[in-house]
Each structure stands twice: as structure tokens, then as C-alpha cells.
Amino acid sequence: MTPAAPPHPSPQVRPATPADLEPIAALHTAARAAYLRGRMPDAPFDAPAEHARWRDAWHRLLHHDEAPTLCAVRHGAVVGAASYLPHAPTARGDGHRAAPADTVTLHQLHVDPAHWGTGVGRALHAACLHAWRAAGCSRAVLDVLWHNHRARTFYSRLGWCPDPDRRPAPDATHLALTLSLTPPEDPPAPAAP
């Protein structure tokens, strides 16, 4: 008897291209609508105007050389996307201090709600970690919507914690998180007798 195939095969994570724009914008719009609908059930977060807004945002990211963008593909369909800024902004007008040059900012990470809980987000996160460490980054930061408990739980399970160097947004809508990318130091070897 052959073992059963896993219910959700691991997605392939690859660099996103301009050809991925429409599916990325669609999954971002759907994900945003899904997590915001619980808070504001009557708001039109999946309206055509919202899709156009996120399409424009992802168009800028996909054509920005300094904002690497990855997508997760399963069975030929784009089911998740992530984008990051390898160099922290130097000037901040939002009350946050500028991060050191070895800090990367996870700007976007979204998964099609139909694929939530199937490993897509973890695969994108792992690919980001690999790229960040290979680039010599020692710290990552991100902002997450305060009321997006699903995302906050996801990041917490992956080791992200509140960033003591960054104050919450003035309107308390976002939580700043950080993740150390350097492995913990090995404990010193016991002294020889």
C-alpha cells in the first residue's frame, strides 16, 4: 500500500514577476476582506475599488528593484505573496526610529484565504528568512494590524515579538514586531577538569 499524498502539497516559492500582478492583487484583496470582515462586517473590502487599490500597490512593488517580491504557487496558481524592503527607511515621520542598515522590513505577506492553514504562509516566511540571512541581515521588523489576531498568532508562533524600539501607531491600529535573524549563541563549553 502506498502512503497517501499530503492533503496540501508544499507550495513552490519563487520570485514574483509582473505576470503575477492580477492573482497577487486578487488574493491580497480577498485576504484583507476576510480578516477585516470580522471587525467591520458591512465594509466593502472586496469591492472593485479595493482590488484596484491593491493592484496599483503591487504594480509599484513588482516594478521596484529594491523591494524583492516572492510568490507561492500551488498547482500552477499563485496562492500567496510576500514583499520586503532590505534597507530600512532613513527618515521616519510616524514616530518610529529609523532601523539600522542590517534590518529588513517585511512589507507584505498575504495568503489566499482558501489556503490559510495549509503551509503557504510558512513557506513564504521561510523563503524570506533564507533571503534575509543570505543578505547579512540580523533583524527583521514588520507592522501588523492590532485586531488581526490570526496574523499576530502566525507571527508569534514564528518567533516574532513586540518591538521595544518602535512605539505603537498613534491611533493604536498597528503593532510593531521584530525578529532576530542571528542564531542564538551556543553556551560556553564546560571547563576541563
Side-chain angles (χ1 to χ4, degrees):
M1 179 178 255
T2 59
H8 302 285
S10 295
Q12 172 199 9
V13 177
R14 62 167 172 76
T17 70
D20 299 315
L21 175 60
E22 287 300 329
I24 290 173
L27 73 86
H28 182 156
T29 303
R32 185 171 166 80
Y35 65 74
L36 290 174
R37 192 165 285 124
R39 185 166 168 85
M40 297 170 271
D42 297 327
F45 292 111
D46 51 358
E50 280 296 295
H51 177 78
R53 175 181 166 208
W54 294 114
R55 185 189 186 286
D56 290 347
W58 282 100
H59 182 269
R60 286 189 301 275
L61 284 173
L62 289 170
H63 291 87
H64 192 287
D65 291 340
E66 294 182 20
T69 302
L70 304 172
C71 65
V73 178
R74 184 179 275 152
H75 302 298
V78 175
V79 295
S83 183
Y84 56 92
L85 303 170
H87 305 290
T90 55
R92 302 290 303 246
D94 58 3
H96 294 118
R97 286 188 276 172
D102 63 348
T103 298
V104 61
T105 301
L106 179 56
H107 180 61
Q108 302 281 353
L109 194 155
H110 300 281
V111 174
D112 181 331
H115 293 267
W116 284 358
T118 67
V120 174
R122 286 186 305 277
L124 283 166
H125 187 265
C128 287
L129 290 177
H130 177 76
W132 300 341
R133 288 180 174 133
C137 296
S138 63
R139 180 174 179 253
V141 296
L142 66 82
D143 288 337
V144 63
L145 286 170
W146 182 265
H147 62 270
N148 188 346
H149 298 289
R150 180 181 193 89
R152 288 175 57 189
T153 299
F154 171 78
Y155 290 120
S156 177
R157 286 182 181 157
L158 294 170
W160 293 79
C161 58
D163 188 343
D165 295 334
R166 297 168 61 221
R167 295 189 319 251
D171 58 2
T173 59
H174 291 80
L175 177 64
L177 301 178
T178 187
L179 178 70
S180 174
L181 301 174
T182 55
E185 290 184 29
D186 292 330

